[in-house]
Structures are given as structure tokens and as C-alpha cells.
Amino acid sequence: MATFYQKIKLLKGLLNREVAQTGPFYVTVDITRRCNLHCLGCRFHSPLVNLPSPGDQSIQDLSPPMFRKLCAELRVMGTASLFFVSEGEPFLHPHLFDLIHQAKKAGLHVTLLTNGTLLDATRIKSLLASRLDVLQVSLWASSLEEYAANYPGTDPENFHRVVAALKLVAEIKAREGSSLPLVQLQHPINRHNFQRIEALIALAEATGCEAVSFTLLRTHRRLLAAAALSGEEEEWVCRTLTRMKKKLRSRSLSHNINQVVRRYRYGESVWEKLPCYIPWLHVRILVDGTVLPCEACELPIGNLNEESFREIWNNEALRRFRRQTLTREGLRAMDSDCDCSHCCHLEDNVRVHRVFKWFAPFRRPRP
């Protein structure tokens, strides 16, 4: 959560058009490129997509010394949150718990996204000891049949393993009297599972999850168009999710339904409706140190092996990116580098725009 002072500094930077006056509010850090699954919608390991990210592909795992230095810089810059994601499965990184420890030592609120297949009693106890804040388990299915459709080429029995792991997390947390990590079941919605949203919610409750998070399928430049929902199906999903809010509240499950419905309502062409403020708030860091403005952008703006993070945060590449994303024409021109369809940062953009639109007429003139 950004402080009032950070929000004022954010506004000052936006008025300047390109130089951020405060550090990122949150960062996303990739841990490893190795994975044990082939999720249908995965940009990196889906048999239908397989689009490598920028950077040195020979480097498979995030370097602990590089990450330690990054955490020290983020602490000084006032960053509040860090999201551990991956091109692969985080539990395949040999030093995962050391990375979590470094992030927590820097005072960061830490979320870890996993497919859940490698969660066992030993790893769960280590997560509790690490004081991880949020454990986000991605599950594309609420049944064995759905799992087979959403994880092509993968053993469907993994579904039962993930369900058992979620129950074990709840059991160990209760036994040790731990409130952390909060367990959130993440469910990407697509044509293979959209009709069973209520079953997914029942599964989250049955396994002891404390939150459920829905997200939209990214088609990765239409490579997954066959799995995307039609307009009528999206409307059905919005109505169903809205109806489910009361049930979730009665079961004490937190959710992100309002945000998901907003993403459906805005549609794929978000850049036609909103400027992009994300390069003022966030960056993504790949395992080889490559820094990207966000998850959907393939345009490198620096590398932690060549510059400090503080230098990258206001270097010429990122300043140029910020100037360009504040206009509709600039966003449209970046289509080859950024896949902004159904923007995953929409909520942040809406929140900033509600305030900044009143100040935009007073920003510094273009040079």
C-alpha cells in the first residue's frame, strides 16, 4: 500500500511526463524458467504458444546475490510489495526460501504464485517459517476432466495432488496457529472451464482457501483464440461472478470479482480508453536480470547486471516508455512490443487515472 507521500510524488512525476519522483509501488520478479507443467494459457510452456521472453535464455534461475542487491535498493526506494512469479514453477528454484527471506528482510509484502503440484509438508512448513504473506495457487480446473483440457500433455492426476496440497496447507496452518500465508486460489477463466465457476468456489472453500482470484485468459496475440470466450460468454461470466459475490461473502472468502468484471467491460482494446501509468508504478525483472515495464511488454529497459535498479528506474529507455504510454497514439505505436489486450494492470490504471485526469492539463509541455 503506497503512502500519501508516495502518491504525491507519483503525481509530481506524472506532471513532469517522464521522471519518476518515487520508487515503484510494487515489482514482479521471475524466479525460474523451468517448469513441470504445460498450462494451456502459459506464454512460455503451452504447446499452443511457446513464446520465449527477452533476455539470455541460457540462464534458468534467478541469481540470489543479484536479488539480494535488488531488495536492498527497493527498501531504500520505498517499494512496498513484491510478487514472485515465473516463466516456470518457483519451487524448482534451488534457493527459493532464501529469496523469500531476503524479500521479507527488506520489509516487502511478498506474494508467491505456484501451480501447487510440488507443495508437500516440508515445503509448507518452510513457507510458514518464512512468513510469506500470500500463497497464490493457480488452478485452471475444478475437476479431473477440466484439468485434462487445460493442461494438455500433463498427468491429470495432478489435479488431486493440488487439491490435497491445499488441504494440507490449511491443516498445517491450523495446527501451528499461523495466519500466514493467506492462501488464494487463482482461476484463469476460459472456454474449457467458464461454466463451472460455482464449482471452483466450492472447491476453494472445501480446501480451506481464504481467497479466490479470477483472471482472464490472455490469448497471446490470438494464438489461443480458440480457448477465448465469445462476447455472449463473457456477459454470462460477468453475471455469474456478480451473483457469486454474496455467496463468497457468506463463506468469508475474499475475491477480486469487481476487478475482473471491469476488465471484461473494458474489453481487449484498453489502450483506446485509458493511458498506461504502469511504468510509474511497477517493473518486471526476469531471471537473467532483464528489466521490463510490465508482464505484457517485451521491450527491455535495462539489465541488473549492467546497471543498478535505481539507475534503470529513471534511465532514458524507461523515460521514453513513460512518455509514449501517456497517449493513445503512443500506445498504439507500441503494439509490436506490448500485448495490452485485456490489460492485467487495468485496476491500477483506473485508480491513477481517476485522480490524474484532473491534473493532466497542467503537466509539463512536450519538449
Side-chain angles (χ1 to χ4, degrees):
M1 180 66 70
T3 65
F4 178 75
Y5 176 74
Q6 286 174 309
K7 292 175 182 177
I8 294 298
K9 298 288 277 185
L10 170 65
L11 179 59
K12 289 180 65 176
L14 286 165
L15 289 170
N16 172 271
R17 285 186 180 268
E18 59 184 56
V19 179
Q21 303 293 317
T22 185
F25 290 9
Y26 63 102
V27 297
T28 300
V29 178
D30 278 34
I31 294 180
T32 183
R33 289 192 165 108
R34 294 176 289 136
C35 197
N36 61 337
L37 293 184
H38 301 286
C39 306
L40 177 73
C42 177
R43 169 190 168 92
F44 312 106
H45 299 283
S46 167
L48 303 178
V49 184
N50 192 27
L51 296 173
S53 63
D56 186 345
Q57 299 298 306
S58 69
I59 298 176
Q60 294 293 295
D61 299 314
L62 181 70
S63 160
M66 182 177 69
F67 181 70
R68 191 178 305 117
K69 181 180 177 183
L70 170 67
C71 286
E73 290 192 85
L74 293 177
R75 181 168 193 163
V76 173
M77 296 172 74
T79 300
S81 301
L82 183 143
F83 292 81
F84 279 129
V85 296
S86 223
E87 292 182 31
E89 167 51 43
F91 282 100
L92 291 174
H93 194 293
H95 304 292
L96 171 62
F97 295 106
D98 291 337
L99 300 177
I100 297 173
H101 172 73
Q102 289 299 325
K104 292 301 299 177
K105 186 178 177 182
L108 295 161
H109 181 280
V110 182
T111 298
L112 175 70
L113 175 63
T114 173
N115 62 38
T117 58
L118 300 179
L119 282 170
D120 56 20
T122 300
R123 291 188 175 101
I124 292 168
K125 290 178 181 177
S126 295
L127 285 177
L128 267 62
S130 74
R131 305 303 292 167
L132 177 75
D133 294 285
V134 179
L135 177 65
Q136 197 173 60
V137 180
S138 177
L139 186 60
W140 292 61
S142 59
S143 69
L144 198 66
E145 294 72 25
E146 278 183 34
Y147 198 93
N150 281 286
Y151 297 84
T154 301
D155 183 4
E157 286 299 318
N158 277 329
F159 173 74
H160 294 307
R161 296 185 184 100
V162 175
V163 170
L166 288 168
K167 291 179 178 178
L168 187 59
V169 173
E171 176 188 320
I172 293 175
K173 282 180 62 179
R175 189 165 63 234
E176 299 195 5
S178 177
S179 61
L180 293 176
L182 180 143
V183 181
Q184 183 181 78
L185 190 61
Q186 186 194 61
H187 185 60
I189 300 172
N190 62 65
R191 184 161 288 172
H192 299 299
N193 62 24
F194 78 98
Q195 293 178 313
R196 290 180 53 81
I197 289 172
E198 193 163 358
L200 190 283
I201 290 172
L203 179 64
E205 182 184 25
T207 54
C209 295
E210 294 136 305
V212 58
S213 171
F214 298 98
T215 188
L216 283 62
L217 175 76
R218 304 294 297 277
T219 64
H220 303 299
R221 303 189 185 279
R222 309 307 295 172
L223 290 172
L224 292 175
L229 303 183
S230 67
E232 293 79 9
E233 289 166 341
E234 288 184 357
E235 283 298 324
W236 186 91
V237 166
C238 289
R239 290 194 302 270
T240 301
L241 287 173
T242 301
R243 180 167 50 84
M244 289 294 104
K245 288 197 293 184
K246 184 176 180 180
K247 180 175 288 189
L248 285 163
R249 185 165 56 249
S250 69
R251 298 178 182 184
S252 300
L253 282 168
S254 60
H255 60 83
N256 68 336
I257 287 176
N258 291 341
Q259 293 90 333
V260 171
V261 169
R262 184 178 288 118
R263 287 180 68 188
Y264 277 122
R265 298 295 188 220
Y266 266 79
E268 285 192 285
S269 304
V270 179
W271 60 89
E272 297 286 352
K273 305 174 181 74
L274 279 176
C276 177
Y277 301 103
I278 292 309
W280 306 85
L281 306 172
H282 162 266
V283 292
R284 178 175 185 170
I285 298 165
L286 304 184
V287 298
D288 70 321
T290 297
V291 182
L292 305 175
C294 78
E295 284 84 347
C297 184
E298 302 172 3
L299 187 65
I301 53 173
N303 190 292
L304 293 178
N305 293 301
E306 300 166 2
E307 300 176 271
S308 70
F309 182 75
R310 180 178 289 276
E311 291 170 328
I312 292 171
W313 182 237
N314 272 315
N315 68 11
E316 178 54 34
L318 188 48
R319 289 165 61 182
R320 183 167 57 249
F321 189 89
R322 288 176 182 144
R323 291 195 300 268
Q324 199 161 354
T325 56
L326 284 177
T327 68
R328 182 180 301 177
E329 296 75 18
L331 284 168
R332 188 181 292 113
M334 300 180 72
D335 181 63
S336 61
D337 294 312
C338 300
D339 180 10
C340 298
S341 60
H342 284 306
C343 175
C344 55
H345 295 289
L346 176 64
E347 198 66 22
D348 289 321
N349 280 327
V350 168
R351 193 177 296 117
V352 175
H353 191 64
R354 282 173 181 161
V355 176
F356 184 65
K357 65 182 179 181
W358 303 107
F359 294 88
F362 304 103
R363 60 188 170 187
R364 192 185 74 178
R366 293 180 184 177

